[in-house]
Amino acid sequence: MVENYLEILYDNEVLEGERIRLRKFAKADVDDVFAYASDEEATKYLTWGPFEKKKQALHNITDFYWSRPGIYAIELKSENKCLGCIDICLNIKDEKCEFGYVLNRHYWGHGYMTEALNLILSLCFDKLDLNRVEALHYTPNIASGKVMQKCGMKHEGTFIQEVKVKGVFYDCEHYGITQEMWKNR
C-alpha cells in the first residue's frame, strides 16, 4: 500500500460516477441528511438514529462527516441532492479497509449504492493500492448483501449474534474482496 494514503484521500475528495458524485459533506446538506437520518426504516440497521431534530443532522455533518477523509456524501447529480453517506475506515497495518453506508429510502432499488460502492472499491484498489476491502451487514438486511455481491464481493460467513444494536442481537454476514479479485472481475 502506498505510504501517502492521507494525501491520496485528500486528492480524491470528489469521485465522479455516471449518475452520482461522492464528495465532502457541506452544511447545506443538513435537510437531506435529516431526511435519511430521521427515517426509522433507513436507520434500522445503524448504530445511531433515527434523528429527532435537524440540529442532530448538522452536528453529524460537522462532528463526524468532517472528522476525517474517506467519508463521502452520495450526491445525485441530476438533482444536486445528498442521498446518503458512504465511508471507509482504513487499517494501514493490514493494508485493508472496511466500509459502511446509508441511503435515503426513497432512492433504494435504483443502483445508486452499487455505483457508490464501485467508486469506493476503485479508490481502495486502484489508488490506495489496498490488498482487501471488507464489510458486514446484519442478516435481515438482505439488500445490503446484494449491493456487495453486485460489486464482486464474496460472502465469507455468518457470525451468530455478533452485534447488539438498539437492544437487538443480530447475526452478521461478512463479505470481502481482494485486490486480485477486483482486477479479475
Side-chain angles (χ1 to χ4, degrees):
M1 186 175 89
V2 293
E3 294 185 21
N4 56 341
Y5 67 93
L6 279 176
E7 183 179 324
I8 291 170
L9 287 175
Y10 284 120
D11 287 345
N12 289 277
E13 288 184 336
V14 176
L15 304 174
E16 292 287 340
E18 183 180 324
R19 300 172 302 155
I20 64 163
R21 172 182 300 117
L22 301 185
R23 59 161 174 81
K24 287 184 65 92
F25 278 88
K27 282 185 180 180
D29 294 322
V30 68
D31 290 333
D32 294 336
V33 170
F34 185 69
Y36 69 75
S38 63
D39 183 341
E40 257 184 66
E41 190 67 22
T43 61
K44 182 176 183 177
Y45 300 113
L46 301 177
T47 57
W48 55 267
F51 290 169
E52 295 178 8
K53 298 180 179 178
K54 196 182 292 186
K55 72 179 180 179
Q56 290 174 280
L58 181 59
H59 288 300
N60 206 48
I61 291 169
T62 59
D63 296 346
F64 178 68
Y65 292 159
W66 289 355
S67 67
R68 61 177 170 77
I71 302 175
Y72 294 92
I74 303 168
E75 179 185 299
L76 182 59
K77 291 180 182 182
S78 64
E79 296 181 21
N80 291 322
K81 179 177 182 63
C82 173
L83 306 181
C85 176
I86 189 166
D87 73 305
I88 61 173
C89 184
L90 292 169
N91 175 334
I92 302 307
K93 178 177 105 23
D94 295 323
E95 298 183 21
K96 68 179 183 175
C97 78
E98 52 187 294
F99 63 84
Y101 47 63
V102 60
L103 191 70
N104 182 314
R105 142 170 83 116
H106 300 291
Y107 294 87
W108 290 356
H110 299 283
Y112 299 127
M113 192 54 75
T114 300
E115 187 175 342
L117 181 53
N118 273 315
L119 289 170
I120 289 296
L121 291 173
S122 178
L123 170 69
C124 290
F125 292 125
D126 301 335
K127 302 214 171 141
L128 289 167
D129 197 29
L130 295 174
N131 179 61
R132 176 181 167 82
V133 176
E134 58 193 28
L136 63 84
H137 72 83
Y138 308 147
T139 300
N141 190 2
I142 296 166
S144 189
K146 287 181 181 179
V147 168
M148 294 176 204
Q149 291 168 10
K150 287 178 188 175
C151 294
M153 298 183 76
K154 300 298 179 213
H155 184 257
E156 296 179 331
T158 303
F159 288 30
I160 307 302
Q161 293 189 0
E162 181 178 10
V163 297
K164 184 177 181 182
V165 176
K166 299 174 185 166
V168 177
F169 285 101
Y170 286 102
D171 296 351
C172 293
E173 307 298 329
H174 288 256
Y175 284 80
I177 185 170
T178 64
Q179 172 88 233
E180 182 179 356
M181 292 164 65
W182 175 254
K183 288 182 177 175
N184 293 328
R185 72 190 185 294

